Amino acid sequence: MNNRKLRYGVIGAGSNAERKHLNNYMNLPNVELVSICDVNLENAKRLAEKYNINNVYSNYEEMITTENLDLVSVCTPNYLHAEISIYALLKGVNVHCEKPLAVNAIEAKKIVEAKNKAGKKVMVGLNNRFTNEAVYLKKYIDEGFLGEIYHAKAGWIRRSGIPGRGTWFTNKDCAGGGVMIDLGVHYLDLALYLMGMPEPSYVTGAAYNNFDHTTTRNRNGYQGNPNGIFNVEDSALGFIGLKNGATVNFEFSWASNIEKDKQYVEILGTKGGVSLINGELKIHSELLDTCVDISPILNPNIKLMNEFEHFTNSILSGEPLMAPAEHGVYTMDIIDRFYQAANRNEPVFFEKEDKNKILLLSSSF
Ligand SMILES: NC(=O)c1ccc[n+]([C@@H]2O[C@H](COP(=O)([O-])OP(=O)(O)OC[C@H]3O[C@@H](n4cnc5c(N)ncnc54)[C@H](O)[C@@H]3O)[C@@H](O)[C@H]2O)c1
């Protein structure tokens, strides 16, 4: 296995498959781009030509049964992530599944079950865990420099950032939800990951759909469909209580009447705090009875971690995954409860004996 190239295929030949997966897997010396699949054959053919991929399919089952692949990227709309990932796993193929792992925790857990049954790997495309800043922060926090962490803030708020009003992103049946499942998945995950994925106690929050009528709030470069469905939230605001006594508050919006977009995570501890705001990393603490801010200087030319290299290394050498499927279940469980809380307009508590706890304690990622 170690001496040959991993046979790679991609399912869903849209913007993310191109920008993220193909642009990166193509650079790995131990990966061979073998096949590509999209129900829209034109999409698949365009990328096949650009990336020199010989085998083009419109049916993922046919591609998986024919091509003897080692790994696939699943880059389809969210509602297909579970179905495709489970099919691939049970055929013996490792899966790099885009976020969210699935549209809810029940489907995400089925992926974990299939992975365990097949003895294969699933990594969630949580690219925000792999930035130099996040890798540095994780190390800094794990070393204990913050003292006891008591609160985190996470947010990604856009003024005009609907990823195509009326496309699958704004259709609940296809996406599973709105901004919470699109942007919230990234930054809520980052905050909780940096905190060490503590066990949640309750979630409360509100979800709004205030911009479904507008034609002006599409994200730059994203085409909308004026006749398409928009039945998901464009703002998600909430609060999480954790069993260790710490708390998290979050705000996510595709569209809102704010001056500037902002993407952030802040972690507050008894000895220090850290903030990552619009990519700028700072450490906040005290020195000689004086408050100080430290700006770590990370060399942008040195990539501390590469999501794609990491996944292939993990397949080849068994090194533990940095974004395992179990973490996708954890986040989806919180997001499910956020939606319940927003619908009921009251906090939703986790059961005393939560099955995810068992999943998280498993070390066989
Ligand atoms: N990690 C990130 O930063 C990031 C960024 C953007 C999107 N994403 C995720 O990537 C996924 C894809 O998003 P996108 O922006 O590329 O969407 P997209 O609409 O550009 O592409 C989706 C593609 O999937 C194809 N497809 C639909 N059904 C299919 C099927 N049954 N078999 C094969 N192909 C099928 C569509 O024809 C389309 O070409 C989503 O889950 C999204 O949440 C992640």
Side-chain angles (χ1 to χ4, degrees):
M1 185 82 163
N2 274 326
N3 297 328
R4 71 171 176 87
K5 289 191 175 199
L6 294 173
R7 289 173 63 79
Y8 170 80
V10 61
I11 302 163
S15 64
N16 184 49
E18 175 175 12
R19 187 179 48 80
K20 190 177 149 183
H21 291 255
L22 287 167
N23 271 346
N24 283 286
Y25 277 117
M26 69 179 277
N27 294 322
L28 298 185
N30 55 1
V31 171
E32 181 188 356
L33 306 188
V34 170
S35 58
I36 186 162
C37 168
D38 200 300
V39 280
N40 179 336
L41 257 183
E42 286 314 304
N43 286 0
K45 281 182 186 163
R46 187 182 73 78
L47 294 190
E49 199 166 315
K50 180 170 176 190
Y51 292 91
N52 243 334
I53 300 171
N54 291 331
N55 308 296
V56 180
Y57 292 84
S58 61
N59 179 307
Y60 72 85
E61 295 183 359
E62 193 187 338
M63 178 176 102
I64 288 169
T65 47
T66 310
E67 293 296 346
N68 193 23
L69 300 168
D70 294 296
L71 78 153
V72 288
S73 292
V74 177
C75 300
T76 59
N78 304 341
Y79 77 103
L80 292 163
H81 288 186
E83 169 191 315
I84 297 174
S85 298
I86 291 168
Y87 185 87
L89 287 163
L90 296 180
K91 293 285 177 192
V93 182
N94 297 288
V95 172
H96 190 171
C97 182
E98 258 315 321
K99 49 55 61 173
L101 178 59
V103 290
N104 55 47
I106 291 175
E107 289 201 359
K109 279 178 195 166
K110 287 184 183 159
I111 297 179
V112 171
E113 282 161 15
K115 170 201 74 117
N116 291 340
K117 188 172 172 193
K120 293 290 158 186
K121 300 230 169 197
V122 178
M123 191 167 83
V124 194
L126 292 164
N127 40 286
N128 287 286
R129 290 186 178 196
F130 291 83
T131 63
N132 278 359
E133 289 76 14
V135 172
Y136 183 84
L137 268 184
K138 181 71 180 146
K139 202 167 172 194
Y140 185 85
I141 292 170
D142 286 352
E143 290 289 331
F145 288 115
L146 298 193
E148 197 176 321
I149 293 172
Y150 59 89
H151 186 62
K153 307 179 196 186
W156 190 339
I157 48 174
R158 292 177 176 164
R159 186 170 189 168
S160 299
I162 300 169
R165 182 198 172 284
T167 65
W168 71 262
F169 277 101
T170 61
N171 181 334
K172 191 171 190 314
D173 287 343
C174 297
V179 69
M180 187 69 199
I181 218 163
D182 181 35
L183 304 184
V185 159
H186 275 303
Y187 266 65
L188 185 59
D189 171 77
L190 187 57
L192 291 163
Y193 168 67
L194 292 173
M195 293 172 96
M197 320 275 307
E199 214 179 324
S201 170
Y202 64 90
V203 182
T204 190
Y208 299 101
N209 179 336
N210 289 325
F211 295 88
D212 57 340
H213 58 286
T214 178
T215 51
T216 57
R217 298 301 185 100
N218 270 342
R219 192 175 170 202
N220 207 359
Y222 279 63
Q223 294 295 321
N225 170 8
N227 303 317
I229 294 169
F230 194 148
N231 60 359
V232 294
E233 81 287 353
D234 47 49
S235 283
L237 312 156
F239 190 85
I240 303 168
L242 301 161
K243 287 196 177 158
N244 65 8
T247 48
V248 180
N249 69 308
F250 58 84
E251 53 169 351
F252 300 106
S253 70
W254 277 337
S256 47
N257 290 318
I258 52 170
E259 187 187 1
K260 284 186 182 151
D261 294 5
K262 189 177 171 190
Q263 222 171 307
Y264 66 95
V265 59
E266 294 182 66
I267 314 282
L268 279 57
T270 49
K271 288 191 198 155
V274 290
S275 60
L276 179 60
I277 303 177
N278 292 339
E280 190 179 356
L281 172 59
K282 284 200 177 151
I283 292 167
H284 315 284
S285 190
E286 262 184 36
L287 265 183
L288 303 176
D289 297 329
T290 302
C291 288
V292 292
D293 293 327
I294 300 167
S295 299
I297 300 166
L298 303 175
N299 186 342
N301 298 320
I302 299 173
K303 187 91 181 99
L304 298 175
M305 207 57 184
N306 177 313
E307 179 180 344
F308 309 89
E309 199 173 30
H310 168 67
F311 190 43
T312 53
N313 285 346
S314 178
I315 292 169
L316 290 168
S317 70
E319 90 183 33
L321 283 175
M322 232 173 93
E326 285 80 356
H327 291 189
V329 176
Y330 168 93
T331 314
M332 282 319 301
D333 212 359
I334 293 174
I335 290 179
D336 283 356
R337 283 165 218 251
F338 161 75
Y339 282 127
Q340 286 166 17
N343 278 337
R344 294 186 205 158
N345 203 15
E346 62 183 25
V348 171
F349 287 80
F350 284 73
E351 296 144 32
K352 280 209 172 89
E353 278 309 313
D354 201 306
K355 284 183 185 140
N356 287 340
K357 189 173 159 192
I358 299 159
L359 284 172
L360 284 167
L361 290 175
S362 147
S363 58
S364 56
F365 301 155

